[in-house]
Amino acid sequence: MVLVSQGENTSRMLTNQLKDIIGDLITIEAHSMEKGIPRDLKADIILLTHYTLLEDLDINFDGKVMLAKRSINYKYLDLILQLSSDLPVLLVNDTKITAEETVYQIKELGINHINFIPYYPGAKEFPEAEIAVTPGESSYVPNYIKKVVDIGCRLIDLTTMVEILRELGLLEERANYLSARYIRELVELNKNLISARDDVINSKKQIEAVLDLVKDPIFALDEDKKIIFANNQARKILKKIEVEKIVNTGMGNDIVSFKGEKMIMTQVSLGKSLVIHLRFASDIAEMEEKLRIEAKEKGFFTKYTFDHIVGKSPAILKAIEKAKKIASSDSNVLIYGETGTGKEIFAQAIHSASKRSKFPFIAINCSALPANLLESELFGYEEGAFTGAKKGGKPGIFEMANRGTVFLDEISEIPVEIQARLLRVLQEKEVMRIGGYRMVPVDVRIIAATNQDPFKLVKENKFREDLFYRLTPLFLFLPPLRERVEDVPLLFDYFINQTRTVPPWHWKDLSEEVKNILLDYSWPGNVREIKNCVEYLLTMAQGIPKVYDLPDIITLKDGKNKDSLLRETKINDLLINVLEIIREGEVKGIKLGRNSIARLMCERGFNVTPSKVRKLLQDLKEKGYIISGRGRQGTALTLQGRALIGEK
């Protein structure tokens, strides 16, 4: 016999099966398309694992060609039965046809509770899926899958085995062995199913016991709207009202009345069954109030309004005007701006001016947390969802910000698998906690922000296009500081007043040279960099800042005048004070010698001798900051020396 298959793994598994049953009676040769197949094949039986091989292969067959019918390996059925029906599951195989066939065969076995998505090389990605089932083809499972269930290679079924034995004249010799073997497998399968049934019955009892402790009414209906389960609270209500009066055909959330009290009804479809969860509106209001108080205690409120945005340039005024219009809407917003342009301040201002201002504003930096922690922060988790989960679980920020605003900073850094869950929140207005079983309705506005070009990210497939358009009913661009340089003086004074109760200086007090350097600088860190610069100058400068007090990153901008400015940064306090004393003498019309300079330096707190002053003057002269006259002619500053201490 010659066995011809698509992949090497299939070839190996089926060869072992054939050898186990009839290997002592016949010679078995195996080939796969993966490893290559000879041009001419000659045998009593040439067994093909799939009919497509007849179309794909240009081979001369000499012998009886048979097509192997294959079936699921019953040994692994319990692995499939244990899977949850909450999320879609990839069924991974080596080709489109084999993947679809495997899905069909599983459904033929009566396993219909799982939504299988056929997946194969070249198939469209399906990142919403977290689990993959594969018949021995795990090498084709995509990287984003968290759990792989290998149900083993699909085996040659009983009918094909009978045909092979009949064709070879071996049926009578091996019939008893073959039937006994398959009966044993069926008996083992039956045992497993009985065990699985007992597990299901025990699990059902445990779940019913837990649900009886829940104070909300929960019940389930079959396809004929007959009650198949109800917890204690539901049984009390269902005695007094008819199911048809509170159940409709729509999914999601509805408001129903019971004895004059409003209840929120959530319907979840599970296959042909329907699960109903009722919550009293008064309980929800109480919970929301508790969450609002908790959010306020945790600081989940805004500090900034539009009054805190500093600037009078046309660019920033246009952005503020647009943001105020956005605040009057309730649509989601994407803010795009470079680092330090004030994206969170604008987000807070929009929230403060919106109808949601009395409710929480919760911000989260999506790039600051690893994927698993970010997921639990966003969506929350139930008790026992993972190792280290808090007792009682934890609500995510979407629940905590209900009726308020969630600010997702650096949203472009969210992993693809979390983007899929976030998309569901935007589409369905509901969230499921990690490890949870029910959807929680949420009413939040999302303001997202990024410092990367979102259109470029979508084009490069680094950000989901459908999520991008869900986030951008409204779009706000924040101009960089280099495009509104006229706001630099205002921002300097704002941060000086914020930092010091009694400011030692303001923008107007700076020399023209210092102002020009600051206005010529490109400010790549934008407003945040100005704040840092102000803090630096207030700390480092003695009095009104001079050129040499400016941060190196500003004075060395773009490499201009780098050599001279590097020399300036090396000037120590002694040399600077000598230059200032000489300049004060010039203003008063006094030519100062070494002795006079030494005395004035001592008055400034520097213990220097005339000999030391001589060395300092020589150093300044070599650097080109002073010229020295003979005798009593004294010393004078050059233009370069005056520039160094901040004078023209």
Side-chain angles (χ1 to χ4, degrees), residues 450-518:
T450 179
N451 60 9
Q452 300 184 55
D453 185 343
F455 302 97
K456 184 179 179 183
L457 291 172
V458 170
K459 189 175 181 180
E460 294 175 350
N461 294 321
K462 294 180 180 178
F463 197 76
R464 289 180 63 118
E465 186 175 16
D466 48 4
L467 178 58
F468 171 75
Y469 287 111
R470 282 283 178 179
L471 287 170
T472 52
L474 300 172
F475 183 84
L476 178 63
F477 171 73
L478 299 186
L481 198 54
R482 62 182 174 274
E483 295 181 7
R484 55 183 189 108
V485 69
E486 57 265 57
D487 290 332
V488 170
L490 295 174
L491 289 164
F492 253 81
D493 284 345
Y494 174 81
F495 288 123
I496 291 169
N497 293 330
Q498 286 285 310
T499 307
R500 294 287 177 87
T501 307
V502 182
W505 49 271
H506 285 96
W507 175 268
K508 63 181 178 61
D509 301 317
L510 300 174
S511 68
E512 288 302 311
E513 186 176 12
V514 172
K515 289 180 181 177
N516 289 335
I517 291 174
L518 294 173

Side-chain angles (χ1 to χ4, degrees), residues 219-235:
F219 59 97
L221 308 175
D222 62 14
E223 57 185 320
D224 297 322
K225 297 294 185 290
K226 293 181 179 179
I227 298 172
I228 54 177
F229 166 78
N231 69 351
N232 281 335
Q233 291 297 325
R235 286 194 289 271

Side-chain angles (χ1 to χ4, degrees), residues 565-613:
L565 286 167
L566 276 173
R567 289 201 303 273
E568 290 176 9
T569 60
K570 295 178 181 178
I571 301 296
N572 60 33
D573 286 346
L574 282 174
L575 297 179
I576 294 297
N577 277 272
V578 169
L579 288 173
E580 290 178 345
I581 287 171
I582 294 171
R583 181 57 185 154
E584 288 172 2
E586 288 179 342
V587 172
K588 295 176 181 179
I590 302 172
K591 297 293 184 181
L592 299 173
R594 291 193 300 272
N595 291 330
S596 299
I597 292 173
R599 176 175 53 78
L600 292 170
M601 286 288 284
C602 288
E603 290 178 4
R604 290 189 173 211
F606 297 99
N607 187 18
V608 295
T609 63
S611 176
K612 176 67 174 176
V613 170

Side-chain angles (χ1 to χ4, degrees), residues 303-508:
K303 300 177 183 177
Y304 301 106
T305 66
F306 286 114
D307 293 335
H308 291 90
I309 300 172
V310 178
K312 293 184 178 179
S313 64
I316 196 65
L317 291 178
K318 182 180 178 181
I320 293 171
E321 181 185 3
K322 191 173 181 180
K324 287 181 177 179
K325 292 179 180 178
I326 288 173
S328 64
S329 169
D330 201 38
S331 299
N332 297 323
V333 191
L334 179 63
I335 301 175
Y336 169 46
E338 295 178 6
T339 296
T341 49
K343 295 185 286 294
E344 182 166 357
I345 292 178
F346 266 87
Q348 290 198 26
I350 290 170
H351 173 80
S352 298
S354 74
K355 66 181 183 180
R356 296 177 180 266
S357 60
K358 294 181 181 179
F359 298 96
F361 175 92
I362 304 181
I364 186 168
N365 189 318
C366 301
S367 66
L369 299 173
N372 57 343
L373 186 54
L374 176 62
E375 187 177 23
S376 64
E377 286 295 312
L378 289 173
F379 307 111
Y381 56 82
E382 298 290 357
E383 181 177 343
F386 49 82
T387 304
K390 286 183 179 179
K391 186 176 181 180
K394 176 180 177 291
I397 64 170
F398 288 112
E399 287 184 68
M400 298 184 71
N402 195 39
R403 300 179 68 186
T405 301
V406 171
F407 176 57
L408 301 176
D409 199 8
E410 305 301 342
I411 192 170
S412 55
E413 302 299 321
I414 289 184
V416 175
E417 60 270 19
I418 299 181
Q419 288 183 28
R421 291 198 65 180
L422 179 58
L423 181 63
R424 181 175 180 85
V425 175
L426 293 171
Q427 289 175 332
E428 307 298 334
K429 299 290 186 182
E430 56 188 17
V431 63
M432 180 186 288
R433 294 186 186 183
I434 299 172
Y437 72 93
R438 65 184 179 91
M439 305 304 298
V440 179
V442 290
D443 173 22
V444 294
R445 182 187 200 181
I446 292 180
I447 301 179
T450 179
N451 60 9
Q452 300 184 55
D453 185 343
F455 302 97
K456 184 179 179 183
L457 291 172
V458 170
K459 189 175 181 180
E460 294 175 350
N461 294 321
K462 294 180 180 178
F463 197 76
R464 289 180 63 118
E465 186 175 16
D466 48 4
L467 178 58
F468 171 75
Y469 287 111
R470 282 283 178 179
L471 287 170
T472 52
L474 300 172
F475 183 84
L476 178 63
F477 171 73
L478 299 186
L481 198 54
R482 62 182 174 274
E483 295 181 7
R484 55 183 189 108
V485 69
E486 57 265 57
D487 290 332
V488 170
L490 295 174
L491 289 164
F492 253 81
D493 284 345
Y494 174 81
F495 288 123
I496 291 169
N497 293 330
Q498 286 285 310
T499 307
R500 294 287 177 87
T501 307
V502 182
W505 49 271
H506 285 96
W507 175 268
K508 63 181 178 61

Side-chain angles (χ1 to χ4, degrees), residues 526-541:
N526 293 292
V527 178
R528 187 180 295 124
E529 189 176 6
I530 281 195
K531 184 176 184 292
N532 293 343
C533 179
V534 167
E535 291 179 3
Y536 179 89
L537 293 176
L538 289 172
T539 302
M540 304 301 291

Side-chain angles (χ1 to χ4, degrees), residues 596-645:
S596 299
I597 292 173
R599 176 175 53 78
L600 292 170
M601 286 288 284
C602 288
E603 290 178 4
R604 290 189 173 211
F606 297 99
N607 187 18
V608 295
T609 63
S611 176
K612 176 67 174 176
V613 170
R614 180 181 180 183
K615 292 180 180 178
L616 293 173
L617 292 174
Q618 183 63 30
D619 191 13
L620 289 170
K621 184 177 180 181
E622 290 175 358
K623 294 180 184 295
Y625 295 120
I626 62 171
I627 54 174
S628 298
R630 294 181 178 178
R632 294 185 177 275
Q633 290 181 354
T635 304
L637 268 65
T638 62
L639 290 176
Q640 190 176 352
R642 291 186 181 188
L644 187 61
I645 62 172

